Amino acid sequence: MGGQPEVAAVSHRFGPDVLRRYAALTDEPFPVAAIEDRDLKPDYVRRVVDYPTREQPGTLVVDPNNRYLYLVMEGGQAMRYGVGVGKAGLEFTGTATVGRKANWPRWTPTPDMLRREPERNGKWAGGMPGGAGNPLGARALYLFKDGNDTLYRIHGTTEPWSIGEAVSSGCIRMLNQDVIDLHRRVPVGTRVVVLGGQGAVAARPQAAEPSEAFGEAPVDLDDAPSPVRG
């Protein structure tokens, strides 16, 4: 039976609103642990920020250089999430569309991942069912381009310490609490812009591999309206 998340510990760095935002979730089919204080980085806490852009409300803009994902809102604002990004040479840049959404997604290593780390990934060649130990975490948004799956994902993570880092095999990873929030706000068909170097959009699709993959906000983030109707 679902209920309100509970604040598991007192933090001297974060206020109660932030702690509630990243508390354990009790209404999911699998456990979603609270983010420990040591893994919750002030710069990457979910919040509403000023974000003037030419992109339309409802667009997702990923800024790999600064490790942020923005959900563009009305009035020159955006919901900003901290993310982990791909290692150099593995990242995707350009435009895409959310072609599919999944709760507790299944993960299947790519052929390259199987070749590189057969002992680690070989047993999951047929796919790993969704669950608490799945590297895609609690939710996934699947990026498509020209109707084709790019193999890049925006997804949760079992490694909360990696947010703000360039450690994944190319995908955009988020804290599970954040990807659950994002998943409910954006529909299939959402435009996604992944910025290249110096903030410029560069169409540079590559052979992707799904990764194993403070401030108080000026509004109540849980009640902030979605910029997309549907």
Side-chain angles (χ1 to χ4, degrees):
M1 181 176 179
Q4 292 296 319
E6 297 180 359
V7 176
V10 175
S11 169
H12 298 291
R13 295 196 301 158
F14 301 102
D17 288 346
V18 171
L19 293 181
R20 280 193 293 270
R21 206 171 302 156
Y22 294 103
L25 302 180
T26 60
D27 57 354
E28 289 286 324
F30 301 98
V32 177
I35 306 301
E36 294 186 17
D37 187 88
R38 64 186 180 186
D39 292 329
L40 191 56
K41 303 170 184 176
D43 287 344
Y44 300 113
V45 166
R46 180 170 88 240
R47 61 184 305 189
V48 173
V49 298
D50 292 329
Y51 189 66
T53 176
R54 295 180 180 178
E55 298 294 340
Q56 293 298 310
T59 304
L60 297 181
V61 180
V62 181
D63 180 354
N65 284 345
N66 294 304
R67 316 295 198 254
Y68 291 126
L69 182 152
Y70 298 89
L71 173 56
V72 179
M73 303 170 68
E74 299 280 357
Q77 292 190 310
M79 186 75 75
R80 190 182 74 184
Y81 305 83
V83 299
V85 300
K87 300 173 186 176
L90 294 175
E91 69 277 7
F92 169 89
T93 58
T95 60
T97 299
V98 175
R100 180 185 165 215
K101 297 166 54 176
N103 292 350
W104 295 99
R106 186 179 185 85
W107 173 72
T108 303
T110 65
D112 282 345
M113 296 179 81
L114 293 172
R115 284 193 294 269
R116 273 206 319 268
E117 298 183 278
E119 293 185 0
R120 179 182 183 185
N121 297 322
K123 64 180 179 179
W124 303 118
M128 178 191 293
N134 188 296
L136 294 186
R139 302 286 190 275
L141 307 178
Y142 295 73
L143 302 190
F144 282 60
K145 189 174 181 66
D146 300 325
N148 299 312
D149 188 352
T150 66
L151 301 182
Y152 287 93
R153 318 286 185 236
I154 299 169
H155 63 80
T157 184
T158 57
E159 300 174 339
W161 55 265
S162 68
I163 301 304
E165 307 294 334
V167 296
S168 80
S169 295
C171 294
I172 302 300
R173 57 171 66 176
M174 306 176 70
L175 295 173
N176 279 327
Q177 285 85 345
D178 281 348
V179 78
I180 289 171
D181 180 84
L182 180 67
H183 183 276
R184 73 178 177 85
R185 293 180 187 273
V186 299
V188 169
T190 293
R191 171 178 163 86
V192 182
V193 179
V194 183
L195 303 178
Q198 307 302 316
V201 176
R204 187 160 55 88
Q206 302 178 23
E209 296 176 4
S211 65
E212 43 287 87
F214 49 45
E216 300 299 323
V219 298
D220 185 331
L221 300 192
D222 292 329
D223 293 333
S226 170
V228 180
R229 299 184 184 275

